[in-house]
Amino acid sequence: MYDAVNRGYRRAQGDILAYLNCDEQYLPGALKSVHDFFEAHPEIEVALAGAIVVDGDGNYMCHRPALSRIRNTSGFVFRN
């Protein structure tokens, strides 16, 4: 599976790449929010997002944050 994802990334021609599993979906407005974020912050190269988990009927179960606050060796700060 990840080989296919990596091959897809290598073939991509756009400015923004995203990965979405077969059982996931973007909320309305998510892609515009990503676009607007990168337009406002051209110095940022990677953005991560949390997830909302629902059951088979679409009922809310919980949130899964992308990351807690971490400072890496490059000095970037990741946060929920």
Side-chain angles (χ1 to χ4, degrees), residues 17-60:
L17 302 177
Y19 178 73
L20 192 67
N21 275 318
C22 64
D23 62 344
E24 299 172 337
Q25 61 183 328
Y26 292 118
L27 292 175
L31 297 178
K32 181 172 180 353
S33 294
V34 169
H35 171 269
D36 293 348
F37 175 82
F38 282 118
E39 286 288 313
H41 303 282
E43 73 282 5
I44 301 293
E45 294 181 355
V46 176
L48 304 172
I52 298 171
V53 180
V54 297
D55 65 17
D57 294 321
N59 298 308
Y60 172 85

mmCIF file of all heavy atoms in Angstrom, residues 17-60:
data_model
loop_
_atom_site.group_PDB
_atom_site.id
_atom_site.type_symbol
_atom_site.label_atom_id
_atom_site.label_comp_id
_atom_site.label_asym_id
_atom_site.label_seq_id
_atom_site.Cartn_x
_atom_site.Cartn_y
_atom_site.Cartn_z
ATOM 1 N N LEU A 17 0.376 18.338 -1.676
ATOM 2 C CA LEU A 17 0.071 16.908 -1.717
ATOM 3 C C LEU A 17 -0.705 16.539 -0.468
ATOM 4 O O LEU A 17 -0.455 17.078 0.607
ATOM 5 C CB LEU A 17 1.357 16.086 -1.760
ATOM 6 C CG LEU A 17 2.309 16.349 -2.913
ATOM 7 C CD1 LEU A 17 3.557 15.503 -2.760
ATOM 8 C CD2 LEU A 17 1.627 16.049 -4.229
ATOM 9 N N ALA A 18 -1.628 15.606 -0.609
ATOM 10 C CA ALA A 18 -2.415 15.153 0.538
ATOM 11 C C ALA A 18 -2.593 13.647 0.445
ATOM 12 O O ALA A 18 -2.538 13.069 -0.637
ATOM 13 C CB ALA A 18 -3.776 15.838 0.554
ATOM 14 N N TYR A 19 -2.802 13.027 1.578
ATOM 15 C CA TYR A 19 -3.034 11.585 1.629
ATOM 16 C C TYR A 19 -4.321 11.334 2.395
ATOM 17 O O TYR A 19 -4.513 11.837 3.491
ATOM 18 C CB TYR A 19 -1.863 10.884 2.318
ATOM 19 C CG TYR A 19 -2.068 9.403 2.450
ATOM 20 C CD1 TYR A 19 -1.973 8.575 1.348
ATOM 21 C CD2 TYR A 19 -2.386 8.832 3.672
ATOM 22 C CE1 TYR A 19 -2.170 7.211 1.451
ATOM 23 C CE2 TYR A 19 -2.585 7.470 3.790
ATOM 24 C CZ TYR A 19 -2.477 6.669 2.674
ATOM 25 O OH TYR A 19 -2.676 5.323 2.786
ATOM 26 N N LEU A 20 -5.207 10.572 1.789
ATOM 27 C CA LEU A 20 -6.503 10.279 2.382
ATOM 28 C C LEU A 20 -6.772 8.792 2.204
ATOM 29 O O LEU A 20 -6.776 8.290 1.077
ATOM 30 C CB LEU A 20 -7.575 11.106 1.671
ATOM 31 C CG LEU A 20 -8.949 11.176 2.280
ATOM 32 C CD1 LEU A 20 -8.922 11.929 3.599
ATOM 33 C CD2 LEU A 20 -9.903 11.872 1.325
ATOM 34 N N ASN A 21 -6.969 8.069 3.301
ATOM 35 C CA ASN A 21 -7.282 6.640 3.226
ATOM 36 C C ASN A 21 -8.677 6.428 2.666
ATOM 37 O O ASN A 21 -9.500 7.343 2.633
ATOM 38 C CB ASN A 21 -7.199 5.998 4.617
ATOM 39 C CG ASN A 21 -5.803 5.588 4.974
ATOM 40 O OD1 ASN A 21 -5.069 5.054 4.147
ATOM 41 N ND2 ASN A 21 -5.417 5.843 6.209
ATOM 42 N N CYS A 22 -8.967 5.201 2.276
ATOM 43 C CA CYS A 22 -10.248 4.885 1.646
ATOM 44 C C CYS A 22 -11.435 5.054 2.592
ATOM 45 O O CYS A 22 -12.560 5.222 2.141
ATOM 46 C CB CYS A 22 -10.221 3.472 1.078
ATOM 47 S SG CYS A 22 -10.020 2.187 2.324
ATOM 48 N N ASP A 23 -11.204 5.012 3.899
ATOM 49 C CA ASP A 23 -12.314 5.151 4.850
ATOM 50 C C ASP A 23 -12.350 6.534 5.485
ATOM 51 O O ASP A 23 -12.979 6.737 6.513
ATOM 52 C CB ASP A 23 -12.233 4.073 5.928
ATOM 53 C CG ASP A 23 -10.971 4.165 6.772
ATOM 54 O OD1 ASP A 23 -10.009 4.854 6.351
ATOM 55 O OD2 ASP A 23 -10.929 3.563 7.853
ATOM 56 N N GLU A 24 -11.700 7.500 4.871
ATOM 57 C CA GLU A 24 -11.647 8.862 5.403
ATOM 58 C C GLU A 24 -12.277 9.830 4.407
ATOM 59 O O GLU A 24 -12.421 9.527 3.222
ATOM 60 C CB GLU A 24 -10.191 9.274 5.656
ATOM 61 C CG GLU A 24 -9.492 8.402 6.670
ATOM 62 C CD GLU A 24 -8.015 8.685 6.768
ATOM 63 O OE1 GLU A 24 -7.409 9.211 5.815
ATOM 64 O OE2 GLU A 24 -7.454 8.362 7.815
ATOM 65 N N GLN A 25 -12.636 11.005 4.911
ATOM 66 C CA GLN A 25 -13.146 12.062 4.041
ATOM 67 C C GLN A 25 -12.804 13.416 4.639
ATOM 68 O O GLN A 25 -12.596 13.541 5.846
ATOM 69 C CB GLN A 25 -14.653 11.936 3.848
ATOM 70 C CG GLN A 25 -15.454 12.040 5.123
ATOM 71 C CD GLN A 25 -16.927 11.831 4.873
ATOM 72 O OE1 GLN A 25 -17.442 12.169 3.808
ATOM 73 N NE2 GLN A 25 -17.633 11.266 5.834
ATOM 74 N N TYR A 26 -12.697 14.408 3.784
ATOM 75 C CA TYR A 26 -12.448 15.771 4.251
ATOM 76 C C TYR A 26 -13.769 16.408 4.643
ATOM 77 O O TYR A 26 -14.794 16.185 3.994
ATOM 78 C CB TYR A 26 -11.803 16.610 3.151
ATOM 79 C CG TYR A 26 -10.402 16.178 2.800
ATOM 80 C CD1 TYR A 26 -10.095 15.717 1.524
ATOM 81 C CD2 TYR A 26 -9.376 16.241 3.732
ATOM 82 C CE1 TYR A 26 -8.810 15.330 1.191
ATOM 83 C CE2 TYR A 26 -8.090 15.849 3.411
ATOM 84 C CZ TYR A 26 -7.816 15.398 2.138
ATOM 85 O OH TYR A 26 -6.545 15.017 1.817
ATOM 86 N N LEU A 27 -13.736 17.221 5.693
ATOM 87 C CA LEU A 27 -14.912 17.994 6.057
ATOM 88 C C LEU A 27 -15.093 19.125 5.058
ATOM 89 O O LEU A 27 -14.127 19.563 4.422
ATOM 90 C CB LEU A 27 -14.745 18.567 7.467
ATOM 91 C CG LEU A 27 -14.740 17.542 8.603
ATOM 92 C CD1 LEU A 27 -14.438 18.232 9.927
ATOM 93 C CD2 LEU A 27 -16.061 16.806 8.678
ATOM 94 N N PRO A 28 -16.315 19.625 4.911
ATOM 95 C CA PRO A 28 -16.533 20.749 3.990
ATOM 96 C C PRO A 28 -15.616 21.916 4.361
ATOM 97 O O PRO A 28 -15.473 22.276 5.523
ATOM 98 C CB PRO A 28 -18.003 21.118 4.218
ATOM 99 C CG PRO A 28 -18.628 19.847 4.711
ATOM 100 C CD PRO A 28 -17.562 19.172 5.537
ATOM 101 N N GLY A 29 -14.974 22.483 3.368
ATOM 102 C CA GLY A 29 -14.094 23.630 3.585
ATOM 103 C C GLY A 29 -12.668 23.272 3.942
ATOM 104 O O GLY A 29 -11.813 24.160 4.040
ATOM 105 N N ALA A 30 -12.366 21.984 4.135
ATOM 106 C CA ALA A 30 -11.017 21.593 4.574
ATOM 107 C C ALA A 30 -9.960 21.963 3.539
ATOM 108 O O ALA A 30 -8.909 22.505 3.887
ATOM 109 C CB ALA A 30 -10.973 20.097 4.870
ATOM 110 N N LEU A 31 -10.204 21.671 2.276
ATOM 111 C CA LEU A 31 -9.196 21.950 1.254
ATOM 112 C C LEU A 31 -8.974 23.443 1.070
ATOM 113 O O LEU A 31 -7.840 23.890 0.868
ATOM 114 C CB LEU A 31 -9.572 21.278 -0.061
ATOM 115 C CG LEU A 31 -9.628 19.752 -0.001
ATOM 116 C CD1 LEU A 31 -10.064 19.184 -1.341
ATOM 117 C CD2 LEU A 31 -8.305 19.161 0.443
ATOM 118 N N LYS A 32 -10.020 24.237 1.171
ATOM 119 C CA LYS A 32 -9.861 25.694 1.106
ATOM 120 C C LYS A 32 -9.058 26.191 2.301
ATOM 121 O O LYS A 32 -8.201 27.064 2.151
ATOM 122 C CB LYS A 32 -11.206 26.404 1.050
ATOM 123 C CG LYS A 32 -11.044 27.921 0.962
ATOM 124 C CD LYS A 32 -12.333 28.625 0.707
ATOM 125 C CE LYS A 32 -12.231 30.131 0.601
ATOM 126 N NZ LYS A 32 -10.996 30.787 0.882
ATOM 127 N N SER A 33 -9.293 25.609 3.470
ATOM 128 C CA SER A 33 -8.523 25.997 4.659
ATOM 129 C C SER A 33 -7.040 25.689 4.479
ATOM 130 O O SER A 33 -6.178 26.494 4.856
ATOM 131 C CB SER A 33 -9.042 25.280 5.900
ATOM 132 O OG SER A 33 -10.344 25.705 6.203
ATOM 133 N N VAL A 34 -6.735 24.546 3.897
ATOM 134 C CA VAL A 34 -5.336 24.179 3.637
ATOM 135 C C VAL A 34 -4.725 25.167 2.651
ATOM 136 O O VAL A 34 -3.628 25.686 2.864
ATOM 137 C CB VAL A 34 -5.237 22.733 3.113
ATOM 138 C CG1 VAL A 34 -3.838 22.437 2.594
ATOM 139 C CG2 VAL A 34 -5.627 21.748 4.195
ATOM 140 N N HIS A 35 -5.429 25.446 1.567
ATOM 141 C CA HIS A 35 -4.950 26.412 0.583
ATOM 142 C C HIS A 35 -4.685 27.764 1.230
ATOM 143 O O HIS A 35 -3.616 28.357 1.053
ATOM 144 C CB HIS A 35 -5.967 26.556 -0.551
ATOM 145 C CG HIS A 35 -5.648 27.673 -1.484
ATOM 146 N ND1 HIS A 35 -6.129 28.941 -1.307
ATOM 147 C CD2 HIS A 35 -4.865 27.705 -2.601
ATOM 148 C CE1 HIS A 35 -5.675 29.719 -2.271
ATOM 149 N NE2 HIS A 35 -4.913 28.990 -3.067
ATOM 150 N N ASP A 36 -5.654 28.255 1.988
ATOM 151 C CA ASP A 36 -5.519 29.566 2.625
ATOM 152 C C ASP A 36 -4.356 29.585 3.614
ATOM 153 O O ASP A 36 -3.635 30.579 3.710
ATOM 154 C CB ASP A 36 -6.815 29.955 3.335
ATOM 155 C CG ASP A 36 -7.960 30.194 2.357
ATOM 156 O OD1 ASP A 36 -7.708 30.278 1.130
ATOM 157 O OD2 ASP A 36 -9.110 30.275 2.831
ATOM 158 N N PHE A 37 -4.159 28.483 4.343
ATOM 159 C CA PHE A 37 -3.057 28.402 5.303
ATOM 160 C C PHE A 37 -1.709 28.532 4.591
ATOM 161 O O PHE A 37 -0.856 29.312 4.989
ATOM 162 C CB PHE A 37 -3.111 27.090 6.083
ATOM 163 C CG PHE A 37 -1.940 26.909 7.001
ATOM 164 C CD1 PHE A 37 -1.923 27.507 8.249
ATOM 165 C CD2 PHE A 37 -0.834 26.180 6.598
ATOM 166 C CE1 PHE A 37 -0.827 27.371 9.091
ATOM 167 C CE2 PHE A 37 0.265 26.033 7.431
ATOM 168 C CZ PHE A 37 0.269 26.632 8.683
ATOM 169 N N PHE A 38 -1.526 27.774 3.523
ATOM 170 C CA PHE A 38 -0.247 27.834 2.806
ATOM 171 C C PHE A 38 -0.057 29.173 2.097
ATOM 172 O O PHE A 38 1.072 29.651 1.976
ATOM 173 C CB PHE A 38 -0.115 26.671 1.822
ATOM 174 C CG PHE A 38 0.263 25.382 2.496
ATOM 175 C CD1 PHE A 38 -0.574 24.292 2.446
ATOM 176 C CD2 PHE A 38 1.459 25.261 3.175
ATOM 177 C CE1 PHE A 38 -0.229 23.096 3.063
ATOM 178 C CE2 PHE A 38 1.819 24.071 3.804
ATOM 179 C CZ PHE A 38 0.977 22.990 3.749
ATOM 180 N N GLU A 39 -1.118 29.791 1.637
ATOM 181 C CA GLU A 39 -1.004 31.129 1.052
ATOM 182 C C GLU A 39 -0.546 32.146 2.091
ATOM 183 O O GLU A 39 0.267 33.013 1.803
ATOM 184 C CB GLU A 39 -2.349 31.570 0.458
ATOM 185 C CG GLU A 39 -2.713 30.874 -0.829
ATOM 186 C CD GLU A 39 -1.861 31.336 -1.996
ATOM 187 O OE1 GLU A 39 -1.685 32.550 -2.177
ATOM 188 O OE2 GLU A 39 -1.361 30.462 -2.734
ATOM 189 N N ALA A 40 -1.068 32.025 3.317
ATOM 190 C CA ALA A 40 -0.721 32.966 4.388
ATOM 191 C C ALA A 40 0.635 32.664 5.018
ATOM 192 O O ALA A 40 1.225 33.533 5.657
ATOM 193 C CB ALA A 40 -1.811 32.941 5.459
ATOM 194 N N HIS A 41 1.129 31.430 4.874
ATOM 195 C CA HIS A 41 2.378 31.017 5.521
ATOM 196 C C HIS A 41 3.281 30.297 4.503
ATOM 197 O O HIS A 41 3.511 29.088 4.616
ATOM 198 C CB HIS A 41 2.086 30.079 6.698
ATOM 199 C CG HIS A 41 1.177 30.668 7.711
ATOM 200 N ND1 HIS A 41 1.600 31.578 8.644
ATOM 201 C CD2 HIS A 41 -0.144 30.497 7.924
ATOM 202 C CE1 HIS A 41 0.586 31.933 9.405
ATOM 203 N NE2 HIS A 41 -0.493 31.297 8.975
ATOM 204 N N PRO A 42 3.814 31.020 3.530
ATOM 205 C CA PRO A 42 4.623 30.363 2.491
ATOM 206 C C PRO A 42 5.910 29.730 3.022
ATOM 207 O O PRO A 42 6.498 28.887 2.346
ATOM 208 C CB PRO A 42 4.925 31.490 1.501
ATOM 209 C CG PRO A 42 4.736 32.742 2.268
ATOM 210 C CD PRO A 42 3.690 32.443 3.313
ATOM 211 N N GLU A 43 6.316 30.095 4.223
ATOM 212 C CA GLU A 43 7.531 29.514 4.806
ATOM 213 C C GLU A 43 7.289 28.113 5.368
ATOM 214 O O GLU A 43 8.228 27.369 5.635
ATOM 215 C CB GLU A 43 8.079 30.425 5.916
ATOM 216 C CG GLU A 43 7.284 30.420 7.211
ATOM 217 C CD GLU A 43 5.990 31.237 7.214
ATOM 218 O OE1 GLU A 43 5.595 31.786 6.159
ATOM 219 O OE2 GLU A 43 5.371 31.326 8.289
ATOM 220 N N ILE A 44 6.041 27.721 5.523
ATOM 221 C CA ILE A 44 5.689 26.403 6.060
ATOM 222 C C ILE A 44 5.629 25.398 4.912
ATOM 223 O O ILE A 44 5.045 25.660 3.863
ATOM 224 C CB ILE A 44 4.329 26.447 6.785
ATOM 225 C CG1 ILE A 44 4.347 27.457 7.927
ATOM 226 C CG2 ILE A 44 3.921 25.060 7.275
ATOM 227 C CD1 ILE A 44 5.264 27.092 9.059
ATOM 228 N N GLU A 45 6.248 24.233 5.117
ATOM 229 C CA GLU A 45 6.270 23.212 4.074
ATOM 230 C C GLU A 45 5.345 22.027 4.354
ATOM 231 O O GLU A 45 4.971 21.310 3.434
ATOM 232 C CB GLU A 45 7.694 22.688 3.891
ATOM 233 C CG GLU A 45 8.641 23.739 3.357
ATOM 234 C CD GLU A 45 10.041 23.209 3.144
ATOM 235 O OE1 GLU A 45 10.306 22.042 3.504
ATOM 236 O OE2 GLU A 45 10.866 23.963 2.633
ATOM 237 N N VAL A 46 4.987 21.803 5.629
ATOM 238 C CA VAL A 46 4.178 20.643 5.992
ATOM 239 C C VAL A 46 3.095 21.076 6.972
ATOM 240 O O VAL A 46 3.366 21.824 7.915
ATOM 241 C CB VAL A 46 5.044 19.545 6.652
ATOM 242 C CG1 VAL A 46 4.182 18.389 7.125
ATOM 243 C CG2 VAL A 46 6.127 19.066 5.702
ATOM 244 N N ALA A 47 1.890 20.607 6.746
ATOM 245 C CA ALA A 47 0.790 20.846 7.677
ATOM 246 C C ALA A 47 0.129 19.502 7.983
ATOM 247 O O ALA A 47 -0.057 18.677 7.091
ATOM 248 C CB ALA A 47 -0.232 21.806 7.091
ATOM 249 N N LEU A 48 -0.193 19.285 9.230
ATOM 250 C CA LEU A 48 -0.870 18.066 9.659
ATOM 251 C C LEU A 48 -2.204 18.443 10.278
ATOM 252 O O LEU A 48 -2.361 19.535 10.812
ATOM 253 C CB LEU A 48 -0.014 17.323 10.688
ATOM 254 C CG LEU A 48 1.404 16.973 10.245
ATOM 255 C CD1 LEU A 48 2.197 16.428 11.406
ATOM 256 C CD2 LEU A 48 1.388 15.998 9.090
ATOM 257 N N ALA A 49 -3.141 17.532 10.230
ATOM 258 C CA ALA A 49 -4.458 17.806 10.791
ATOM 259 C C ALA A 49 -4.904 16.652 11.667
ATOM 260 O O ALA A 49 -4.469 15.517 11.488
ATOM 261 C CB ALA A 49 -5.477 18.021 9.674
ATOM 262 N N GLY A 50 -5.776 16.950 12.585
ATOM 263 C CA GLY A 50 -6.365 15.923 13.420
ATOM 264 C C GLY A 50 -7.494 15.227 12.680
ATOM 265 O O GLY A 50 -7.737 15.481 11.493
ATOM 266 N N ALA A 51 -8.174 14.353 13.376
ATOM 267 C CA ALA A 51 -9.272 13.604 12.765
ATOM 268 C C ALA A 51 -10.451 13.543 13.722
ATOM 269 O O ALA A 51 -10.281 13.562 14.939
ATOM 270 C CB ALA A 51 -8.819 12.186 12.439
ATOM 271 N N ILE A 52 -11.625 13.482 13.154
ATOM 272 C CA ILE A 52 -12.850 13.227 13.904
ATOM 273 C C ILE A 52 -13.235 11.784 13.603
ATOM 274 O O ILE A 52 -13.362 11.401 12.443
ATOM 275 C CB ILE A 52 -13.979 14.184 13.494
ATOM 276 C CG1 ILE A 52 -13.576 15.628 13.795
ATOM 277 C CG2 ILE A 52 -15.279 13.806 14.193
ATOM 278 C CD1 ILE A 52 -14.539 16.646 13.231
ATOM 279 N N VAL A 53 -13.411 10.982 14.637
ATOM 280 C CA VAL A 53 -13.744 9.564 14.460
ATOM 281 C C VAL A 53 -15.245 9.388 14.647
ATOM 282 O O VAL A 53 -15.819 9.875 15.628
ATOM 283 C CB VAL A 53 -12.972 8.692 15.481
ATOM 284 C CG1 VAL A 53 -13.310 7.226 15.303
ATOM 285 C CG2 VAL A 53 -11.471 8.927 15.345
ATOM 286 N N VAL A 54 -15.874 8.692 13.693
ATOM 287 C CA VAL A 54 -17.306 8.408 13.767
ATOM 288 C C VAL A 54 -17.517 6.905 13.622
ATOM 289 O O VAL A 54 -16.661 6.183 13.122
ATOM 290 C CB VAL A 54 -18.096 9.167 12.670
ATOM 291 C CG1 VAL A 54 -17.975 10.670 12.849
ATOM 292 C CG2 VAL A 54 -17.640 8.754 11.282
ATOM 293 N N ASP A 55 -18.673 6.442 14.062
ATOM 294 C CA ASP A 55 -18.983 5.019 13.900
ATOM 295 C C ASP A 55 -19.595 4.777 12.520
ATOM 296 O O ASP A 55 -19.679 5.694 11.700
ATOM 297 C CB ASP A 55 -19.895 4.525 15.030
ATOM 298 C CG ASP A 55 -21.276 5.160 15.033
ATOM 299 O OD1 ASP A 55 -21.694 5.757 14.009
ATOM 300 O OD2 ASP A 55 -21.966 5.040 16.061
ATOM 301 N N GLY A 56 -20.007 3.559 12.264
ATOM 302 C CA GLY A 56 -20.552 3.184 10.966
ATOM 303 C C GLY A 56 -21.795 3.948 10.562
ATOM 304 O O GLY A 56 -22.126 4.026 9.384
ATOM 305 N N ASP A 57 -22.491 4.536 11.538
ATOM 306 C CA ASP A 57 -23.694 5.321 11.251
ATOM 307 C C ASP A 57 -23.404 6.808 11.165
ATOM 308 O O ASP A 57 -24.319 7.615 11.008
ATOM 309 C CB ASP A 57 -24.752 5.072 12.331
ATOM 310 C CG ASP A 57 -25.253 3.640 12.315
ATOM 311 O OD1 ASP A 57 -25.414 3.088 11.200
ATOM 312 O OD2 ASP A 57 -25.466 3.073 13.400
ATOM 313 N N GLY A 58 -22.117 7.187 11.308
ATOM 314 C CA GLY A 58 -21.749 8.595 11.241
ATOM 315 C C GLY A 58 -21.861 9.340 12.558
ATOM 316 O O GLY A 58 -21.761 10.559 12.584
ATOM 317 N N ASN A 59 -22.061 8.623 13.658
ATOM 318 C CA ASN A 59 -22.169 9.261 14.969
ATOM 319 C C ASN A 59 -20.777 9.542 15.530
ATOM 320 O O ASN A 59 -19.885 8.700 15.487
ATOM 321 C CB ASN A 59 -22.932 8.364 15.950
ATOM 322 C CG ASN A 59 -24.343 8.107 15.489
ATOM 323 O OD1 ASN A 59 -25.079 9.033 15.185
ATOM 324 N ND2 ASN A 59 -24.716 6.841 15.395
ATOM 325 N N TYR A 60 -20.611 10.743 16.077
ATOM 326 C CA TYR A 60 -19.331 11.166 16.651
ATOM 327 C C TYR A 60 -18.883 10.214 17.761
ATOM 328 O O TYR A 60 -19.663 9.831 18.618
ATOM 329 C CB TYR A 60 -19.464 12.583 17.217
ATOM 330 C CG TYR A 60 -18.262 13.046 17.989
ATOM 331 C CD1 TYR A 60 -17.179 13.606 17.330
ATOM 332 C CD2 TYR A 60 -18.203 12.917 19.372
ATOM 333 C CE1 TYR A 60 -16.066 14.036 18.036
ATOM 334 C CE2 TYR A 60 -17.092 13.344 20.084
ATOM 335 C CZ TYR A 60 -16.031 13.889 19.405
ATOM 336 O OH TYR A 60 -14.920 14.314 20.099
#
